[in-house]
Amino acid sequence: MEKPRATAIWNGTGKTGKGTLTTLSGALSKKTYSFRSRTEDTTDTNPEELLAAAHAGCFTMKLAFLLDEAGFKDIDLETNCEITFVGGEIRASDLIVTANIPGISKQKFDNLVKLAETECPVSKLFKAKISAAGILK
């Protein structure tokens, strides 16, 4: 398998230009992104939105592995991630996971959520504050 990769193409200035993002897998194919999408409602994406998706996906997958290793097999997880971007800097990534896992205690779940928070590979990339919290259904 090839290493994951993506290509960014940009035309114009930082503030008024626009670019496209394409991933090797085809999940993104010339998806437009722009500075405007950081501050306005547009159909473009932006780097922070993509980081939120990557962090939510990575964290959720890591948590699923940890739950499986702990003996839980009937696992349903949904994670929302919000990136705080202020003054041109990513300041935080906040994860909220809602889970339906029969037989798990709140303490065990919270411990595994905290472990996934620090052990998911995307978390290890961030210098920003990272927080994760879980909600059991």
Side-chain angles (χ1 to χ4, degrees), residues 54-69 77 79 93 95-97 101 108-126 130-134:
H55 203 191
C58 185
F59 165 85
T60 305
M61 187 184 296
K62 182 63 178 180
L63 181 56
F65 272 99
L66 293 170
L67 287 161
D68 184 24
E69 290 169 9
L77 304 171
T79 303
S93 179
L95 301 151
I96 302 291
V97 59
I101 308 159
K108 179 71 171 177
F109 178 65
D110 288 345
N111 288 343
L112 293 174
V113 166
K114 284 299 175 193
L115 188 56
E117 173 190 316
T118 59
E119 292 299 314
C120 107
V122 172
S123 288
K124 293 177 180 184
L125 281 173
F126 285 112
I130 298 169
S131 68

Side-chain angles (χ1 to χ4, degrees), residues 23-124:
T23 57
L24 177 65
S25 70
L28 297 175
S29 180
K30 297 182 180 177
K31 175 62 181 163
T32 55
Y33 75 111
S34 64
F35 176 77
R36 216 178 99 220
S37 67
R38 286 177 159 157
T39 59
E40 301 174 25
D41 289 331
T42 72
T43 58
D44 293 344
T45 191
N46 60 62
E48 296 75 36
E49 179 181 60
L50 297 172
L51 287 171
H55 203 191
C58 185
F59 165 85
T60 305
M61 187 184 296
K62 182 63 178 180
L63 181 56
F65 272 99
L66 293 170
L67 287 161
D68 184 24
E69 290 169 9
F72 298 96
K73 305 298 180 198
D74 189 10
I75 302 166
D76 290 311
L77 304 171
E78 179 181 313
T79 303
N80 290 295
C81 179
E82 183 176 282
I83 299 291
T84 302
F85 182 72
V86 178
E89 184 179 309
I90 294 170
R91 300 268 173 96
S93 179
D94 296 301
L95 301 151
I96 302 291
V97 59
T98 303
N100 185 3
I101 308 159
I104 196 167
S105 71
K106 178 69 170 142
Q107 181 179 1
K108 179 71 171 177
F109 178 65
D110 288 345
N111 288 343
L112 293 174
V113 166
K114 284 299 175 193
L115 188 56
E117 173 190 316
T118 59
E119 292 299 314
C120 107
V122 172
S123 288
K124 293 177 180 184

